[in-house]
Amino acid sequence: MAKEEKQKQEEQPKADGKAAQTDNKAEHHGGHKGQCHHRCEKLQKQVDDLKKQLADKDDKYLRAEAEIQNMTTRFNKERAQILKYDGQDLAKSVLPVLDNLKRALTIEVKDENGQQLKKGIQMVHDHLTAALKDHGVTEIPAEGKIFDPTLHQAVQTVPVKGDQKPETVVKVLQAGYQLKDRVLRPAMVVVAQ
């Protein structure tokens, strides 16, 4: 019996040691699990932050790209407008010359020298008109047309006579011109009312 008790006493510390070791392992595992969980949360937060930064960068990139496309489109439109109406200032500067040539052509001449001079003026007028037309500058039709305030400037009104219709241009005091679809100068006209 003493022998059995002695054996139990010897086994007792071994069992207590194994229990202690198991408890230590559980504690160690529990502590390790806590650290892992904490580290995973920290890494997940970093991943979320990086995803947010990436989304912000993507948004800024897309906005910048859209702005560049808008600027390119606007630039191309402006360039097309400039090319379309290229020479507008020159055409405006030439119009008074054309007016003076037209006035010179209305003068009555009787002698041979005057006739030759008028023929020369007519040639200059025709060449200038053709050159302007080649570049899209045309005279605005006015006489006999319905008054259009976007094309005509009424400087005088007269009462309707005979078969005239109201709001019709009855006389052109100064020709108007347009470059393609843009009015360079409206026609100065007399309108029947």
Side-chain angles (χ1 to χ4, degrees):
M1 210 176 334
K3 198 177 180 179
E4 283 178 15
E5 239 180 79
K6 193 178 177 182
Q7 202 175 10
K8 277 186 182 176
Q9 283 176 357
E10 285 176 5
E11 286 176 7
Q12 180 89 20
K14 284 184 184 174
D16 286 346
K18 280 188 179 178
Q21 267 186 343
T22 308
D23 285 347
N24 282 344
K25 280 185 183 176
E27 279 178 27
H28 180 69
H29 250 6
H32 187 64
K33 265 188 171 177
Q35 279 182 332
C36 259
H37 183 71
H38 178 71
R39 189 158 185 213
C40 282
E41 283 179 351
K42 193 174 180 182
L43 289 173
Q44 186 61 46
K45 187 176 184 297
Q46 284 180 335
V47 168
D48 291 343
D49 286 347
L50 290 172
K51 281 182 179 178
K52 185 178 182 298
Q53 287 176 16
L54 181 62
D56 288 346
K57 297 287 186 212
D58 282 348
D59 183 54
K60 285 180 182 176
Y61 170 76
L62 291 173
R63 287 177 188 271
E65 190 173 327
E67 189 172 334
I68 287 169
Q69 285 178 352
N70 288 341
M71 287 171 56
T72 303
T73 303
R74 189 169 48 246
F75 171 76
N76 288 337
K77 280 183 184 177
E78 287 172 2
R79 186 170 172 223
Q81 283 287 94
I82 288 169
L83 289 175
K84 183 176 181 180
Y85 299 114
D86 184 37
Q88 176 177 327
D89 291 336
L90 176 63
K92 281 183 177 179
S93 299
V94 169
L95 294 182
V97 175
L98 196 56
D99 292 337
N100 289 332
L101 290 172
K102 281 186 178 191
R103 284 188 200 98
L105 290 172
T106 60
I107 297 171
E108 288 292 325
V109 290
K110 296 181 182 163
D111 64 338
E112 184 68 29
N113 289 341
Q115 294 275 339
Q116 291 298 323
L117 184 60
K118 192 169 181 175
K119 187 176 180 183
I121 292 171
Q122 183 69 53
M123 287 172 60
V124 171
H125 173 271
D126 293 347
H127 280 98
L128 183 57
T129 303
L132 288 170
K133 195 174 214 173
D134 288 345
H135 289 89
V137 178
T138 55
E139 188 172 335
I140 296 171
E143 194 156 346
K145 303 287 182 186
I146 298 293
F147 175 74
D148 180 351
T150 60
L151 301 174
H152 310 124
Q153 180 181 350
V155 292
Q156 186 181 353
T157 58
V158 292
V160 176
K161 293 181 186 172
D163 61 344
Q164 293 174 342
K165 295 178 183 171
E167 298 298 315
T168 302
V169 175
V170 292
K171 186 176 183 182
V172 178
L173 301 176
Q174 184 182 52
Y177 293 89
Q178 58 189 22
L179 173 60
K180 297 181 173 89
D181 57 349
R182 181 180 285 181
V183 175
L184 294 174
R185 180 180 81 186
M188 294 174 70
V189 297
V190 178
V191 181
Q193 287 189 328

